[in-house]
Amino acid sequence: MSHKLFSFSTIPLFFIFCLPPLVSSFPSGGGRFGFGTYDFYARSCPYLPMIVTNDVQTAIRNDNRMAASLLRLHFHDCFVNVIVAGCDASILLDDTDELEGEKNALPNRNSVRGYEVIDSIKADVEKACPSTVSCVDILALAAREAVVQSGGPFWPVQLGRRDGLTANKAAANSELPSPIEPLKNITAKFIAKGLDIKDVAVLSGAHTVGFAQCFTFKHRLFNYKGTGRPDPALDSSALPNLQSICPNQDSSNTNLSPLDTASVYRFDNGYYTNLVQSTGLLESDQALMGDSTTAALVRAYSMNPYLFSSDFAVSMAKMGNIGVLTGQDGEIRKVCRSVNN
Ligand code: HEM
Ligand SMILES: *[C@@H]1O[C@H](CO)[C@@H](O)[C@H](O)[C@H]1NC(C)=O
C-alpha cells in the first residue's frame, strides 16, 4: 500500500476534522515532558479554555490590577516546597486545624491576591465538567491568560497537573525570593527549582505589571543603609514621585506604587527600560544591572521587546512545570480552598 493513500491531498477535509482524537491526550501521564498534553481536557472539558478566557477578562475588567495578581499567584504556587510538589495549588489552601496553609506566610500575607478569581473560575469549570480539571491547571491557564490579555506573550501550557494534598508555610517563608536579598541569593533559589540565572532576569520582567507596597522598597528612598541618603542605584529623577507616595513614616507602609511606572497595566518591556535608566522599583529589580550576565540580558530586552516576549514565554512554560504532580498523585480538588475529604 502506497503512503500516498494517506497524504492529506487524498483525504477529504471533512474526514480529517471528523477523526476521533485518538492520540490527543495521555490521561495517565506521559507526554513529552513527563505529564499531560496541551489538549489534556479536550474531550473531558472542551469549554475549559473559553471559561478561563471569559472569567479572566471579567476579573480584569472589574480590577485592572488582577492580571498582575494572577501571574504572581501562579509564581508563588510553583516556587514552594518543590521536593513534595511545586505547582500544586498549595497556595490556594485555607488554614484548617489539620493543615497550616501558605496564605499567611510572610511573602503572601496581605500581599498575594486573586484567590476569589480562581474560586469563581473553578466554580464555573465544575458546573461544566465536575471533578475533572485541577485547580493548579486552572491557575496556570489563568496566569497565561492574564498576560495575554495584558498584551504579553502566549505560551503553551501543558495540562494534567494534579492538586497537592498539603501546603508548607515554612517553605513559603524561606524559598520565595525577597526584594532585599542579594541577586546571588535569589539566583540560588531559582537554581534550587531547576531554573537558572537567565530565568531570574527573564521572569523578573513580570514586574512590568502590578504594584508593590512601600515597605518593600522604602528603605531605598531616604536613608539607604544608614548613609542618610537614598540608594545611589536609584536615579534621583524617580525620587520625588516615590517619596510622595511613600512618606518616611510607618503609616505609608502599605501604600502602593506601580512596579513599572511607565506602563502600569501593559505587559511590555518597559521594566527593562526602567532598569537601564536606574529607575527599577525594588532593590532586587535594579540589582539585575549589577551583574554582567543579567545586565546584558536587561539591555537586550530593553532594546528588543520581541526577544523578551519569546524568552518570557519559554521561562514561564518552564516555571509552570516545576515539580508537578501527575498520574495518580494528588487529586482533583472540588474546591480550590480545601482538599477533598
Ligand atoms: C526575582 C525575584 C522576585 C522578587 C524579589 C519579587 C518580589 C516582589 C515584591 C516584593 C512584590 C510586591 C509585593 C507587595 O508589595 O505586596 C512583587 C510583586 C509582583 N511580582 Fe514579584 N518578585 C520576584 C519575581 C517574580 C516573578 C518570577 C514573577 C512572575 C513570573 C513575579 C510577579 C509579580 C507580580 C505580577 C507582582 C505584582 C502583583 C500585584 O500587583 O498584585 N515576581 N514581587
Ligand atoms: C544570602 O545567602 C547567604 C548564604 O546562604 C546567607 O548567609 C545570607 O544570610 C543571605 N542573605 C540574605 C540577605 O538573605
Side-chain angles (χ1 to χ4, degrees), residues 58-128:
T58 304
I60 297 173
R61 202 180 290 138
N62 291 339
D63 168 7
N64 42 16
R65 184 183 173 192
M66 192 48 72
S69 303
L70 290 171
L71 175 57
R72 184 167 186 239
L73 188 53
H74 179 42
F75 166 52
H76 281 210
D77 177 34
C78 289
F79 234 63
V80 169
N81 201 22
V82 297
I83 293 171
V84 175
C87 308
D88 65 346
S90 56
I91 196 171
L92 303 179
L93 293 173
D94 284 338
D95 287 352
T96 68
D97 291 341
E98 294 83 41
L99 183 147
E100 187 172 39
E102 294 164 15
K103 289 180 175 176
N104 287 311
L106 288 173
N108 296 337
R109 188 185 175 86
N110 296 323
S111 179
V112 164
R113 12 191 348 269
Y115 300 114
E116 325 72 37
V117 173
I118 300 300
D119 288 342
S120 90
I121 301 174
K122 175 65 170 174
D124 289 343
V125 170
E126 284 297 295
K127 268 183 237 156

Side-chain angles (χ1 to χ4, degrees), residues 180-182 185:
I180 55 167
E181 69 182 339
N185 292 37

Side-chain angles (χ1 to χ4, degrees), residues 17-317:
F17 291 128
C18 292
L19 281 174
L22 287 177
V23 288
S24 67
S25 64
F26 299 85
S28 56
R32 267 195 304 156
F33 298 97
F35 72 111
T37 56
Y38 307 115
D39 56 356
F40 190 84
Y41 301 108
R43 281 176 295 174
S44 59
C45 199
Y47 293 119
L48 172 66
M50 207 190 76
I51 296 170
V52 174
T53 300
N54 284 337
D55 287 6
V56 168
Q57 192 169 51
T58 304
I60 297 173
R61 202 180 290 138
N62 291 339
D63 168 7
N64 42 16
R65 184 183 173 192
M66 192 48 72
S69 303
L70 290 171
L71 175 57
R72 184 167 186 239
L73 188 53
H74 179 42
F75 166 52
H76 281 210
D77 177 34
C78 289
F79 234 63
V80 169
N81 201 22
V82 297
I83 293 171
V84 175
C87 308
D88 65 346
S90 56
I91 196 171
L92 303 179
L93 293 173
D94 284 338
D95 287 352
T96 68
D97 291 341
E98 294 83 41
L99 183 147
E100 187 172 39
E102 294 164 15
K103 289 180 175 176
N104 287 311
L106 288 173
N108 296 337
R109 188 185 175 86
N110 296 323
S111 179
V112 164
R113 12 191 348 269
Y115 300 114
E116 325 72 37
V117 173
I118 300 300
D119 288 342
S120 90
I121 301 174
K122 175 65 170 174
D124 289 343
V125 170
E126 284 297 295
K127 268 183 237 156
C129 16
S131 293
T132 303
V133 182
S134 64
C135 294
V136 59
D137 275 348
I138 288 174
L139 180 50
L141 287 170
R144 196 266 311 279
E145 201 52 44
V147 168
V148 168
Q149 291 186 24
S150 305
F154 176 96
W155 62 91
V157 173
Q158 279 195 286
L159 299 170
R161 299 169 188 75
R162 291 172 58 91
D163 296 325
L165 304 173
T166 57
N168 191 329
K169 184 182 178 183
N173 276 323
S174 64
E175 297 177 16
L176 287 166
S178 150
I180 55 167
E181 69 182 339
L183 179 61
K184 269 194 167 55
N185 292 37
I186 290 175
T187 303
K189 289 177 173 178
F190 275 62
I191 287 172
K193 319 295 172 197
L195 303 179
D196 58 30
I197 191 165
K198 180 175 178 181
D199 297 310
V200 177
V202 177
L203 292 175
S204 293
H207 291 171
T208 178
V209 289
F211 291 80
Q213 301 175 68
C214 290
F215 77 84
T216 65
F217 60 87
K218 198 169 34 175
H219 63 283
R220 306 183 69 198
L221 305 182
F222 300 99
N223 181 16
Y224 181 69
K225 293 187 173 166
T227 57
R229 302 180 158 276
D231 182 351
L234 177 63
D235 193 87
S236 56
S237 66
L239 280 174
N241 176 47
L242 292 177
Q243 289 174 337
S244 81
I245 296 174
C246 308
N248 194 11
Q249 55 214 26
D250 287 349
S251 60
S252 77
N253 280 351
T254 59
N255 294 356
L256 293 173
S257 168
L259 281 153
D260 170 14
T261 357
S263 56
V264 183
Y265 299 108
R266 187 98 202 129
F267 199 100
D268 57 14
N269 66 337
Y271 169 82
Y272 297 101
T273 319
N274 297 340
L275 297 189
V276 169
Q277 296 167 350
S278 298
T279 59
L281 186 65
L282 304 179
E283 190 170 6
S284 52
D285 290 329
Q286 197 57 50
L288 293 175
M289 291 306 283
D291 169 278
S292 58
T293 305
T294 52
L297 288 164
V298 168
R299 287 206 186 82
Y301 297 143
S302 75
M303 291 183 289
N304 188 343
Y306 301 103
L307 182 65
F308 168 53
S309 278
S310 64
D311 283 0
F312 189 79
V314 169
S315 289
M316 281 304 296

